[in-house]
Amino acid sequence: MSRSKLNKKDLKERVMAFLSSRPRESFTLKQVFGALRLTTHPVKILCVDVLNELLDEEQIFRNYDGEIAYNGKTTHVEEGTFKRTAGGRNFVDLDDGQGICVYDEDTLHALPGDKVKVSLFATRKKSERLYGEVIEIVERSKKPVVGELQINHGVAFLTRPDDSLPYDVFIPSDKLKGGKNGDKALVEIIDWPESTRNPIGRVKEVLGQAGENETEMHAILAEFGLPYSYPKDVEKAAKQISDVIPLEEIKQREDFRSTTTFTIDPRDAKDFDDALSIRDLGKGHYEVGVHIADVSYYVTEGSIIDKEAEKRGTSVYLVDRTVPMLPEHLCNYICSLRPDEDKLTFSVVFDMDENAKVYSSRIVHTIIRSNRRFTYEEVQEILEQNGEADDIEGHIPVAQDKRTGEYHDELITLNRMAHALRDGRMHTGAIDFDREEVRFEIDENGKPLSVYFKVAKDANKLIEEFMLLANRTVAESVGKVKKGEKAKTLPYRIHDLPDPNKLDNLAQFVSRFKYHIVTQGSKTQVAKSINKLLKDVHGEKIQNLVENVSLRAMMKARYSTHNIGHYGLAFDYYTHFTSPIRRYPDLMVHRLLTRYAAGAPSANQRKYEGLCEHSSAMEELASSAERASIKYKQVEFMSDKIGEQFNAKVSGVTEAGVYAEIDENKCEGFISVRFLGSEPFDFDEKNFCLIGRKSHHAFTIGDEIVIKVAKANLYRKTLDFDFIKKGKI
């Protein structure tokens, strides 16, 4: 039957067959015409009539964009991972990134991390969310649950501070493993019969009494499935590694021990994994070496130490501790580039001028001997006293014969090169996200004594620029090949272009505050527009909010063997080479460079892509754990300040109230709408504010207010404030 002679019944069947076969998608009218190959005007009119009829019958629906989608239960079954948010919402995460929402009554007692089969419904009428019901639990998650034991009259439950579990976990008395009331514990769920309200579990490990620093930090690590101790057999293997460098090994390496070399690190660092050397070559040229700890010499692929490092993927940095990727004997002693000790390194050596123009480079195995271990603060002081720090307003460089400070000439030359490198990146479209980081001074028991902010100054940027240059150079050495040739396998650090929808949302958002960004055009034009926005809002009351929304518009950087470049840095080729002590991808890169230099063929891409995916996942978990530890310490820091008043700014607005961030320490708390005044308030979502119905007084982002600390809940990691007045104390 030709499409021009389709009757209404046939067309209706075709429309339903098409839409029901793709229940998770929505379509424009044009897309429906194209999919069904409806080309003539009469048949299109008939199709519109059919669609209207199906809309009336509620077999299909229109979403908020006016697109059409199927609206019935399907037999379409997908497999994915069951998840539950802290707020108690269930969904199944599919492999393609889609999330299927599941009501509590449709979960089949699935638990977070379970592999499940879900039968899809089409999106509910007037909703754009995808829904389904769990029809089978394929595999129970083995990840234990972290919580607090509550034992009353011999009956024990594990409780959570949020709604990430639908019910408390019942613990039989013979499964407590010595756990006491108020202990934090890791619990494995062993059963959840259909006839019982609560899942049943057994204690795997008691972490200690809730509220104790060691207990809470271990609980945070356990929450994200991260280790908090090192296996004894791995530590034993590490201690058997000798720090004596064989003469035969030294002969095979370029010797930089007589070249001026130093490390620059945070004051509390112990694992010095990078060093810089500089030598004047004359005629305006310098030899600059970026020397990286040669971990691959000591950690052989497939060894017990390597397997543990691969599993961890990265070192984890909590407020009060570092949980290292490598055993302490390796990361802090054997591999660490400590001053006045011969150390094996893998280096990128540049011939460059003071304007940072690179004339040549080579990647070589080396041996170095660091002359000095600098802290960032020491280098910053030397740059400032010589008028070389750009972050000091009105700086005037000191004449060369009047310069002071250890290795001042070398540091000043490197700093000028770093500025030129940074200016070059910004010119080609790198995005300038320089944000303050919260840090704590803590005592020997982990108690926070004060808060300070880590700001990237010239000394930090000096190191950053040379590490970026080395990483880019290494990536180009493998990835940049002649036309017609195929590049060998390498883990790249990639960063995709911003999501167009998120970029449009950002543009709409900032337009409310009279700012503008370019969302169309070249990558460089868009990036420069975002940089201008970040510069324009600097120091304004909405700075923090705009920076957060801008960051959310960006894609996450990750590891992959499929190179797409790094958008945020404006590099076509980029990898991680400079931190093998604390990042496993860097160790992979070191090994592959050595392998390819020896003439070996390309490594197995599938194997390394799997390692890249694992490393990206572990990096994300480590970042989440770090944020959780900061939040805990902020609440702990404020817990002895109940009743005290502080100047703050409104940092977020919701229908339920406002969030406020204290000026002096960046601790954020919530003020319920009922404490903002005696009148009702209406939420203006468009303008991010609450408006009093009678007074028309508004609370909006960036408003200066005075707050009083009302409550510090360490269990939930939350702060509650009372509103005192607008303005300042």
Side-chain angles (χ1 to χ4, degrees):
M1 183 185 295
S2 69
R3 283 178 175 76
S4 61
K5 294 181 180 179
L6 275 173
N7 61 39
K8 193 172 184 179
K9 180 182 177 184
D10 292 332
L11 185 54
K12 192 172 184 179
E13 288 177 357
R14 286 173 184 264
V15 169
M16 286 300 291
F18 167 65
L19 293 176
S20 63
S21 69
R22 298 168 74 174
R24 292 159 53 200
E25 301 177 52
S26 57
F27 303 92
T28 63
L29 202 56
K30 186 177 179 180
Q31 288 171 327
V32 173
F33 293 160
L36 299 178
R37 298 181 186 175
L38 307 180
T39 57
T40 67
H41 184 67
V43 80
K44 288 180 180 178
I45 294 297
L46 182 62
C47 184
V48 171
D49 190 29
V50 165
L51 291 171
N52 284 329
E53 192 173 295
L54 291 171
L55 282 167
D56 290 339
E57 295 169 358
E58 296 191 1
Q59 294 194 60
I60 65 172
F61 73 99
R62 288 188 193 276
N63 64 19
Y64 294 123
D65 294 326
E67 295 174 340
I68 294 160
Y70 185 59
N71 195 38
K73 184 173 178 179
T74 77
T75 56
H76 191 75
V77 174
E78 293 271 11
E79 191 169 308
T81 304
F82 185 83
K83 294 187 177 179
R84 185 176 169 92
T85 67
R89 294 165 71 180
N90 309 305
F91 65 97
V92 176
D93 194 8
L94 305 183
D95 291 339
D96 63 4
Q98 289 270 16
I100 309 300
C101 299
V102 181
Y103 289 114
D104 281 346
E105 61 267 25
D106 295 328
T107 63
L108 202 68
H109 280 183
L111 290 162
D114 288 354
K115 294 290 183 188
V116 300
K117 286 184 180 178
V118 58
S119 176
L120 300 187
F121 298 90
T123 310
R124 302 293 171 109
K125 189 174 176 65
K126 295 185 179 178
S127 170
E128 295 183 14
R129 291 178 180 157
L130 302 171
Y131 283 83
E133 64 174 325
V134 176
I135 59 171
E136 181 184 345
I137 296 172
V138 178
E139 183 183 352
R140 282 287 190 192
S141 169
K142 301 223 173 3
K143 183 184 175 184
V145 180
V146 182
E148 188 171 317
L149 293 175
Q150 299 292 331
I151 306 174
N152 293 303
H153 305 293
V155 180
F157 288 92
L158 184 86
T159 65
R160 296 269 307 157
D162 53 33
D163 293 320
S164 56
L165 280 179
Y167 303 104
D168 296 338
V169 182
F170 172 68
I171 315 290
S173 57
D174 62 342
K175 306 291 185 190
L176 276 170
K177 205 175 181 178
K180 300 180 181 65
N181 187 49
D183 279 347
K184 282 278 179 79
L186 269 71
V187 167
E188 179 185 28
I189 294 174
I190 54 178
D191 196 11
W192 194 356
E194 286 187 30
S195 58
T196 65
R197 182 175 184 270
N198 301 84
I200 301 168
R202 67 177 180 87
V203 173
K204 285 192 71 175
E205 187 172 349
V206 177
L207 300 174
Q209 191 67 23
E212 293 180 358
N213 183 68
E214 202 72 6
T215 299
E216 296 297 341
M217 293 301 105
H218 284 178
I220 286 171
L221 291 166
E223 180 73 35
F224 295 100
L226 297 168
Y228 43 83
S229 60
Y230 230 94
K232 299 298 182 188
D233 54 347
V234 180
E235 285 188 334
K236 182 179 178 182
K239 286 178 180 176
Q240 291 172 349
I241 296 174
S242 171
D243 62 351
V244 177
I245 303 171
L247 184 60
E248 298 77 18
E249 185 61 35
I250 295 174
K251 289 178 180 178
Q252 295 177 42
R253 294 173 176 254
E254 282 198 38
D255 195 337
F256 277 77
R257 287 177 292 181
S258 60
T259 303
T260 300
T261 304
F262 38 73
T263 60
I264 308 174
D265 292 281
R267 59 176 178 258
D268 57 351
K270 296 177 182 177
D271 53 344
F272 314 137
D273 53 11
D274 58 79
L276 291 177
S277 70
I278 183 168
R279 183 165 65 93
D280 192 338
L281 299 175
K283 297 182 179 179
H285 283 234
Y286 295 87
E287 179 189 74
V288 177
V290 179
H291 306 286
I292 309 302
D294 191 358
V295 176
S296 62
Y297 174 81
Y298 296 102
V299 180
T300 55
E301 191 169 3
S303 66
I304 186 174
I305 300 172
D306 180 53
K307 287 177 180 175
E308 183 66 23
E310 178 190 317
K311 184 170 73 174
R312 292 173 178 240
T314 181
S315 294
V316 183
Y317 296 89
L318 302 187
V319 166
D320 69 333
R321 71 194 63 201
T322 298
V323 184
M325 182 182 78
L326 296 171
E328 186 178 344
H329 185 65
L330 279 176
C331 65
N332 291 354
Y333 297 98
I334 298 286
C335 297
S336 184
L337 307 182
R338 302 179 344 149
D340 302 317
E341 295 179 10
D342 289 355
K343 293 292 179 179
L344 297 181
T345 46
F346 207 171
S347 309
V348 188
V349 184
F350 301 95
D351 175 357
M352 58 199 302
D353 61 26
E354 196 171 277
N355 295 317
K357 180 180 178 181
V358 175
Y359 294 89
S360 66
S361 64
R362 63 188 189 275
I363 303 168
V364 286
H365 287 93
T366 54
I367 183 170
I368 69 164
R369 189 177 183 87
S370 173
N371 302 97
R372 175 73 153 82
R373 178 267 202 265
F374 281 109
T375 66
Y376 285 122
E377 291 80 6
E378 289 171 333
V379 171
Q380 185 67 24
E381 185 178 353
I382 291 169
L383 295 176
E384 288 179 7
Q385 71 191 20
N386 289 289
E388 293 286 340
D390 267 10
D391 38 35
I392 300 298
E393 193 173 340
H395 71 285
I396 300 174
V398 171
Q400 189 163 358
D401 61 344
K402 303 218 187 286
R403 292 175 178 173
T404 58
E406 287 185 84
Y407 298 105
H408 55 263
D409 285 335
E410 291 86 349
L411 290 171
I412 288 169
T413 300
L414 289 169
N415 188 53
R416 290 179 176 179
M417 290 177 175
H419 277 291
L421 288 168
R422 185 176 176 81
D423 290 344
R425 286 197 303 111
M426 293 300 124
H427 181 72
T428 55
I431 297 177
D432 187 14
F433 278 113
D434 271 343
R435 308 197 70 200
E436 290 183 341
E437 296 179 25
V438 177
R439 293 290 185 267
F440 295 87
E441 293 284 356
I442 56 176
D443 65 16
E444 64 277 5
N445 298 315
K447 182 177 173 58
L449 304 174
S450 63
V451 179
Y452 66 95
F453 306 105
K454 177 185 170 186
V455 181
K457 296 185 178 181
D458 276 52
N460 306 79
K461 294 173 184 177
L462 186 161
I463 289 297
E464 178 187 21
E465 290 303 327
F466 281 102
M467 297 307 115
L468 291 174
L469 178 62
N471 286 333
R472 185 183 71 186
T473 302
V474 165
E476 289 177 345
S477 74
V478 176
K480 230 176 179 180
V481 294
K482 294 176 183 176
K483 193 173 181 179
E485 292 183 6
K486 185 179 179 183
K488 293 180 178 179
T489 296
L490 188 77
Y492 295 94
R493 181 68 168 176
I494 64 171
H495 186 222
D496 209 346
L497 276 65
D499 182 292
N501 292 330
K502 289 184 178 180
L503 206 56
D504 286 338
N505 291 339
L506 173 62
Q508 291 176 24
F509 171 75
V510 299
S511 69
R512 297 169 185 171
F513 304 101
K514 312 303 181 191
Y515 293 101
H516 172 73
I517 64 164
V518 173
T519 59
Q520 304 292 326
S522 68
K523 290 193 296 185
T524 302
Q525 288 172 324
V526 173
K528 286 186 175 180
S529 177
I530 294 173
N531 278 339
K532 183 178 184 305
L533 169 69
L534 296 173
K535 185 177 180 181
D536 288 346
V537 300
H538 186 75
E540 299 295 327
K541 65 181 186 178
I542 61 166
Q543 177 184 344
N544 195 47
L545 177 68
V546 170
E547 287 178 345
N548 283 332
V549 175
S550 300
L551 273 172
R552 286 198 292 270
M554 299 293 113
M555 302 295 278
K556 286 185 179 177
R558 58 190 175 88
Y559 298 104
S560 177
T561 57
H562 304 287
N563 182 45
I564 60 169
H566 196 294
Y567 175 75
L569 295 173
F571 290 160
D572 291 329
Y573 300 88
Y574 189 64
T575 189
H576 273 171
F577 166 82
T578 53
S579 294
I581 286 178
R582 60 186 179 89
R583 294 187 305 224
Y584 195 75
D586 303 55
L587 182 53
M588 290 193 282
V589 168
H590 280 219
R591 287 171 177 158
L592 289 174
L593 288 174
T594 303
R595 171 177 174 163
Y596 295 154
S602 181
N604 184 293
Q605 187 174 35
R606 182 178 294 181
K607 169 191 170 184
Y608 279 91
E609 185 63 22
L611 289 169
C612 284
E613 289 176 2
H614 172 71
S615 297
S616 297
M618 296 308 294
E619 176 188 41
E620 191 169 341
L621 288 174
S623 295
S624 297
E626 180 184 2
R627 287 193 296 270
S629 77
I630 290 171
K631 186 64 181 174
Y632 183 86
K633 288 299 173 187
Q634 285 179 318
V635 176
E636 185 181 6
F637 178 68
M638 298 302 296
S639 62
D640 62 357
K641 296 169 179 59
I642 306 299
E644 293 185 28
Q645 295 185 11
F646 295 89
N647 291 323
K649 288 186 181 68
V650 175
S651 55
V653 181
T654 71
E655 195 171 6
V658 301
Y659 289 92
E661 187 179 78
I662 295 174
D663 292 344
E664 68 181 62
N665 55 38
K666 304 299 183 189
C667 294
E668 187 179 62
F670 185 70
I671 308 172
S672 173
V673 69
R674 68 180 186 273
F675 296 127
L676 293 176
S678 57
E679 62 182 320
F681 282 81
D682 293 318
F683 179 46
D684 182 348
E685 188 174 3
K686 182 179 179 182
N687 295 302
F688 294 92
C689 64
L690 283 169
I691 302 171
R693 286 184 190 172
K694 294 179 182 178
S695 66
H696 301 294
H697 289 161
F699 289 87
T700 189
I701 301 292
D703 282 354
E704 293 182 335
I705 60 174
V706 178
I707 63 93
K708 181 171 74 174
V709 182
K711 188 177 181 182
N713 189 326
L714 279 168
Y715 180 60
R716 294 184 179 273
K717 302 186 185 74
T718 56
L719 291 169
D720 290 330
F721 297 157
D722 286 339
F723 169 70
I724 302 301
K725 66 176 183 176
K726 283 201 170 186
K728 293 191 173 185
I729 295 173

